[in-house]
Amino acid sequence: HTVNDLRRLGLPVLGGVSSTAQPRRSGAALGFGFGVVALFAVFGAVLAGLPGTIVRLLA
């Protein structure tokens, strides 16, 4: 609620505290999302046997 909201209710207001803008964390969220996707991709590749297939192809 704002100071004006409280004054309209008839309540005495001694002061108000202004809020600060939160820093945007879109870069951190994007990096985290990319990390999760990469983790699932590597996990799926290991389950599918891809590392063994690559070793057999190179040998």
Side-chain angles (χ1 to χ4, degrees):
H1 296 283
T2 64
V3 173
N4 290 331
D5 292 337
L6 296 174
R7 286 184 179 144
R8 275 188 249 133
L9 292 174
L11 298 172
V13 178
L14 297 176
V17 178
S18 60
S19 62
T20 60
Q22 294 291 331
R24 292 189 177 217
R25 295 187 178 110
S26 60
L30 185 64
F32 178 77
F34 178 74
V36 169
V37 169
L39 180 67
F40 278 115
V42 170
F43 183 67
V46 169
L47 286 181
L50 190 61
T53 305
I54 293 172
V55 168
R56 280 193 299 273
L57 288 175
L58 295 176

